[in-house]
Every structure is written in structure tokens, then in C-alpha cells.
Amino acid sequence: MLYGFWYRALPSGQVSRNRLHKTMLLEMPLVIGRDRGGRPFALRDACPHRGMPLSCGRFDGQLLECSYHGWKFDAHSGQCQLIPSLTSDQEMKVDRIYAGSYPCAEHDDFVWVFIPEPPPLGAGFTKAAEPSSPVPHVPTFGGKHKIAHLTADLPCSVDHGIIGLMDPAHGPFVHQAWWWRSRHSIHEKRKNFEPIPMGFRMSAHTPSSNSAPYKLLRMYADADSITTTIDFVLPNLRLETIRAGKYWFSSLTTVTPITRSHCRIDVVACWNIFRWVPFGPALLKFVFAKFVEQDRQTMENQAEGLKHNPHLMLIDDADRPAKWYFQLKAAYLESRSNGEEMRHPMIGPVTLKWRS
């Protein structure tokens, strides 16, 4: 688990006012809701008094009341506002007590939560940590555009979910469809990669020629102007951008750790390509859902094999992005441990070759 980052918690549409929503991030139970003004908040789903889930209590749009002893907490800061059992002559500094509170923000139709380093002992007296980075968002390039999002659970660890997400060689075998590609279209590819802060980039390149959507795009725009760029950034972000002159498509995909054996994939896409196509968002969501379901089924089958703890291997060049991910993760954890600047595992641009 990597701490000190923003994680997608829930789609915005699932978080309504005057209701408390239970969820789990990095094996920590959270309660999420909206205040009277519609702003989202996130608290650890445990009262610092006796551990009762705050999601079992009442919420008036500003304060959460624990259902066990009626302690009340500010929804955003987590600061205790009332302990009903105290008598008038009992001196206790109630305002020094905090339920675990996490910075919370809303962007691209998702509620994001910043998960800091694990809190110290006595967290009931600790204020929320300030975010060390801005909330991630889908890149957009001006003008009117469409947006769509998709969420699906994966029955695997976040590591397997992430390296599956960035794996360049499984496409012809997992993602087969008449409107996309067949396994017979497999051919050799060469892609350039470069280091970026906290991650790596598949440099801007001409899209693959063996998939129907890209062939259609070439009919829609000048083929020479079409480029694709793909970034991976810790802890779990995959950003893809397609540019075709004034037209563009971008997506931000995350793999969020829920428990050590369960994660969730969330995709948000924005585009101004084919905006005139009827039911465009629904069509794109259908395509995404097809891909994600194929990945989910693959992860489910893989989980059966991983139960027996088999020996695993990563090969060059197709598995080099997976190696970079594990090296980036180790370098980040080492930098947090020794307080030194993170040492990037990539020392410069690299060209990788594989068949897919």
C-alpha cells in the first residue's frame, strides 16, 4: 500500500446529501457524505471513543453523531463538538479530540480522498494532514467535450491490477472483438519511453494500425497528425491522450487498492472527437465496459492460480513497464524511509520492442 496520495473513493453520483456512505480504501473503513452545501467530506468510519462506525450514526448536514454515546464531530475537520455525558463541572478539552479526517475533493465526476502516511498512535488527538499534491484530473484541451466514466471491481491485489493495466502484450488474447482487433493482427511494435516525475511515459507516437477505432479516426482527421501519449504515475494513474489536429481524446484510469486482495478500476474519459455521434457517451461506455469485463474475468482466473503462490517471472521487453512500476514503488518507499530525494529507476529514454 502506498500512502501520501489521492485516491478515487466513489463516483459523485453515489454520494448524496443527508446520507452517509461506507467505503474502504487501503484497508481503512471510511464514511463519505456531503454537507448542506453539497461539499463532500471523508472521515475514518470509527468513533475515537469506542470505535463505533460513524456511518451508523445521524448526520444533520454539518455534524455527525455517533450512535453509541452521541459524540458529535464536524464533518470536514473531524473535530469533536460535543460529548453529551460530560457534566457542567467536568473540564475536558473536547475540541482537542478528532475523528480521523481526510482531505476530500470532487473532480471529473468522482470524489477523491487524500490518504496520508498512517496516523500515529493517539490519532484521536490528530488534525487532518494537508495534501502534498493537487487532485489528479483528466487532461482537457478546451472547447465543448463529452465525458463518461466506468467503475468495476477486480478480484486481485492492486499490484496485479496495475501491471495488468500497463501490460502491452495481452491485447490480442484478452481484448478480442470484431470492431477492435483479432489475435491474427499481432505484429511487432517499437515504442519509446521516457522518465517523468513519479512515473514514465510512452512518448507521443502514431497509434496502432490494427484496430478499427483508429482506422475510423484516420478517416475523420489527417492521419499524419494523430498521436498517442500514455503516462503512468504513482501510485496508480494511467493517463492516455490522443491528439488529431483540433480533435482530442483523453482518459484517466486508476486502480484503487481496497484490501490486499481486492481493488477497483475506475475510468474517466473526455473527448471532442465524434461529438455529433448520437449516444456517443453510451457507446464509449459500452466499449470500456467490454474491455474492463474482459480484464476482470482475466484477473478472476489469474487469482485462482495465484492462490497456490506459484513462481512468477517478468521478461524483457514486454514486461519492462511492470518492472519500472515495482522499481518506482520501491524507490518511493525508500525515499520516505530515509528522507532523501527519490531516485528514479529510469536514467533516460528507452526503446522497447514486443509483438501484440
Side-chain angles (χ1 to χ4, degrees):
M1 301 290 188
L2 291 181
Y3 299 92
F5 295 99
W6 288 94
Y7 288 92
R8 280 172 170 159
L10 291 172
S12 296
Q14 292 184 16
V15 184
S16 55
R17 298 189 192 187
N18 301 319
R19 287 190 57 195
L20 299 176
H21 306 267
K22 298 175 61 173
T23 190
M24 184 86 71
L25 283 180
L26 285 71
E27 299 196 321
M28 292 186 295
L30 299 180
V31 55
I32 294 177
R34 294 184 187 277
D35 63 17
R36 293 192 187 109
R39 290 191 306 142
F41 61 85
L43 297 175
R44 192 174 186 116
D45 196 14
C47 178
H49 177 212
R50 301 278 286 277
M52 174 64 70
L54 292 174
S55 58
C56 297
R58 300 175 61 185
F59 177 54
D60 64 5
Q62 180 180 357
L63 301 178
L64 271 76
E65 179 185 88
C66 178
S67 62
Y68 199 0
H69 297 93
W71 289 30
K72 291 188 177 182
F73 302 91
D74 181 86
H76 291 282
S77 68
Q79 186 179 48
C80 188
Q81 304 294 307
L82 175 69
I83 298 179
S85 63
L86 292 178
T87 62
S88 59
D89 60 338
Q90 290 177 327
E91 296 184 2
M92 184 175 183
K93 296 182 178 179
V94 173
D95 59 353
R96 290 188 178 182
I97 300 174
Y98 289 84
S101 175
Y102 299 88
C104 193
E106 194 166 8
H107 213 299
D108 298 328
D109 291 340
F110 268 86
V111 172
W112 294 76
V113 175
F114 182 79
I115 305 294
E117 293 292 327
L121 295 176
F125 298 95
T126 305
K127 294 182 180 181
E130 290 296 322
S132 56
S133 60
V135 180
H137 64 277
V138 182
T140 56
F141 304 96
K144 295 181 179 180
H145 58 269
K146 301 283 188 177
I147 186 170
H149 60 84
L150 181 73
T151 296
D153 289 340
L154 297 179
C156 64
S157 71
V158 66
D159 285 342
H160 281 292
I162 287 175
I163 65 175
L165 178 70
M166 65 177 63
D167 175 17
H170 74 277
F173 307 97
V174 174
H175 300 304
Q176 298 181 37
W178 66 266
W179 41 264
W180 182 251
R181 67 177 61 169
S182 72
R183 63 187 304 161
H184 303 297
S185 66
I186 189 170
H187 64 277
E188 183 174 312
K189 298 179 179 178
R190 297 171 60 98
K191 305 295 184 185
N192 297 321
F193 291 80
E194 57 189 293
I196 59 176
M198 301 294 286
F200 55 86
R201 169 174 295 157
M202 182 187 291
S203 306
H205 59 280
T206 302
S208 173
S209 61
N210 61 346
S211 59
Y214 286 133
K215 293 177 182 177
L216 181 61
L217 182 56
R218 285 190 177 90
M219 296 172 58
Y220 190 72
D222 180 8
D224 293 336
S225 70
I226 302 175
T227 59
T228 297
T229 303
I230 300 175
D231 291 355
F232 174 79
V233 181
L234 284 181
N236 63 347
L237 310 178
R238 181 189 185 275
L239 297 102
E240 180 171 2
T241 302
I242 302 173
R243 302 296 301 270
K246 66 179 181 179
Y247 301 108
W248 55 268
F249 170 93
S250 63
S251 65
L252 172 58
T253 303
T254 59
V255 181
T256 300
I258 307 302
T259 68
R260 295 189 184 277
S261 59
H262 173 209
C263 61
R264 189 186 68 242
I265 185 169
D266 299 308
V267 184
V268 173
C270 294
W271 69 95
N272 74 346
I273 300 173
F274 304 124
R275 283 197 307 113
W276 48 266
V277 175
F279 312 110
L283 181 61
L284 186 65
K285 195 167 184 176
F286 168 79
V287 173
F288 278 162
K290 179 75 171 179
F291 282 5
V292 170
E293 174 56 24
Q294 290 169 336
D295 282 327
R296 190 203 64 77
Q297 184 61 57
T298 299
M299 296 294 101
E300 186 173 294
N301 294 338
Q302 184 188 32
E304 286 296 315
L306 293 174
K307 287 180 180 179
H308 307 288
N309 195 29
H311 174 73
L312 305 177
M313 63 177 69
L314 296 175
I315 65 172
D316 278 338
D317 282 3
D319 289 334
R320 187 82 67 86
K323 292 183 178 181
W324 288 333
Y325 162 67
F326 287 116
Q327 291 167 354
L328 281 164
K329 187 176 177 180
Y332 172 78
L333 292 173
E334 182 179 1
S335 71
R336 300 295 292 179
S337 176
N338 58 29
E340 298 178 358
E341 184 177 352
M342 178 177 162
R343 301 177 66 177
H344 203 293
M346 295 179 67
I347 59 176
V350 177
T351 300
L352 301 183
K353 299 184 297 182
W354 65 84
R355 298 184 75 244
S356 70

